[in-house]
Amino acid sequence: MTRQVFFLPSGIADKVDEEIVLPADLSHQIVRVLKLEKGDLIELKDESGRTWRAQITHVSKKGVRVTLLDEVFHAAESPLEVTLFMAIARSDRVDLAIRQATELGVKEIVLFPSARSPYRLEKLKVQDRVSRWSKIAQEAVCQCRRVKVPNIWYGNGLDEILDYAENGEDYNILKLVASEMDELPGVGAFFQSGIKPSSVAVAIGPEGGWAEEELSAFKSRKWVPISLGPRILRYETAMVAIVVLCQFLWGDMR
């Protein structure tokens, strides 16, 4: 049977054989959508990063009750802390990028409007959109066996996210900005130099690329422009390429 994993917005009770009542929306998904029944096994995750194997013990119109069997420990978090900065793009592309970034082990995702971003978020819609992105990340965590859901937030612009990247800065952090400029080094150049960062910040620009003044701002804050090869990559493809390279060189994909 396919492994069924569900995310709870609050902490799971932490005692074996304890019975808990699932929220109404989750109960509906389990019974009406997935057609699970009494006796079926599921996994439950919560915001603290804990995962429990549980068995459905009661199904009714009032909801689903499950009994906690044992705690599950998945070693799926990368030792490399990756913070991903992405210029805002079309909604479907951002949704896909967030799902993929979560699967690839990114710790934190920051979105922001850049000079050439064709889309902007109205202030009143920011919280709703962040909530949507967080739900996508939660679903991806359940699918990929990660423990922690990436922190996601929306910055007001380049200056704000550059300031954020410097606050409480880890001295062993490597900050990379993907650029389409010719004759730039690739990520492999840092591996050859023997650099072994514990944290990496990577920035992906909009479909139209970075403006010249934005690249200058990155450089002035000690970000290093890098090439992702001779081909022009789509927004979400560039994100996957740079994160995979970092996880291969310094994370858990080796």
Side-chain angles (χ1 to χ4, degrees), residues 75-188:
E77 293 298 324
S78 174
L80 180 69
E81 295 191 353
V82 181
T83 301
L84 173 64
F85 295 86
M86 295 194 301
I88 192 70
R90 203 173 67 196
S91 178
D92 58 335
R93 291 189 172 179
V94 173
D95 291 354
L96 177 58
I98 287 174
R99 182 178 301 279
Q100 292 172 324
T102 302
E103 293 174 3
L104 292 171
V106 170
K107 177 186 176 183
E108 185 169 27
I109 303 170
V110 182
L111 293 110
F112 64 98
S114 69
R116 294 177 181 170
S117 292
Y119 304 93
R120 293 288 191 279
L121 283 185
E122 297 177 14
K123 188 174 182 179
L124 294 176
K125 294 182 178 180
V126 168
Q127 188 55 53
D128 286 343
R129 191 61 61 87
V130 170
S131 295
R132 170 185 169 82
W133 292 332
S134 296
K135 185 175 181 180
I136 290 172
Q138 291 169 8
E139 293 171 350
V141 162
C142 290
Q143 177 271 322
C144 73
R145 293 197 177 209
R146 281 189 66 181
V147 174
K148 299 178 181 178
V149 178
N151 179 42
I152 301 175
W153 63 279
Y154 186 82
N156 292 317
L158 183 60
D159 288 340
E160 181 176 322
I161 67 108
L162 290 176
D163 288 342
Y164 175 77
E166 293 178 355
N167 288 337
E169 186 173 335
D170 177 358
Y171 288 104
N172 196 27
I173 189 172
L174 178 63
K175 295 183 290 188
L176 305 174
V177 52
S179 173
E180 298 171 359
M181 293 176 61
D182 295 331
E183 300 180 357
L184 288 175
V187 178

Side-chain angles (χ1 to χ4, degrees), residues 25-130:
D25 57 341
L26 183 52
S27 295
H28 179 272
Q29 182 185 3
I30 286 174
V31 177
R32 301 299 180 186
V33 180
L34 297 174
K35 308 296 184 184
L36 299 183
E37 301 174 343
K38 180 180 178 180
D40 286 338
L41 298 177
I42 63 174
E43 286 184 21
L44 298 173
K45 290 180 178 287
D46 68 13
E47 293 172 328
S48 70
R50 302 184 74 175
T51 302
W52 284 80
R53 192 168 64 96
Q55 185 173 40
I56 298 175
T57 54
H58 182 80
V59 176
S60 71
K61 292 182 180 179
K62 294 182 179 181
V64 173
R65 294 203 301 267
V66 302
T67 297
L68 303 181
L69 300 180
D70 49 56
E71 191 164 3
V72 181
F73 297 94
H74 295 307
E77 293 298 324
S78 174
L80 180 69
E81 295 191 353
V82 181
T83 301
L84 173 64
F85 295 86
M86 295 194 301
I88 192 70
R90 203 173 67 196
S91 178
D92 58 335
R93 291 189 172 179
V94 173
D95 291 354
L96 177 58
I98 287 174
R99 182 178 301 279
Q100 292 172 324
T102 302
E103 293 174 3
L104 292 171
V106 170
K107 177 186 176 183
E108 185 169 27
I109 303 170
V110 182
L111 293 110
F112 64 98
S114 69
R116 294 177 181 170
S117 292
Y119 304 93
R120 293 288 191 279
L121 283 185
E122 297 177 14
K123 188 174 182 179
L124 294 176
K125 294 182 178 180
V126 168
Q127 188 55 53
D128 286 343
R129 191 61 61 87
V130 170

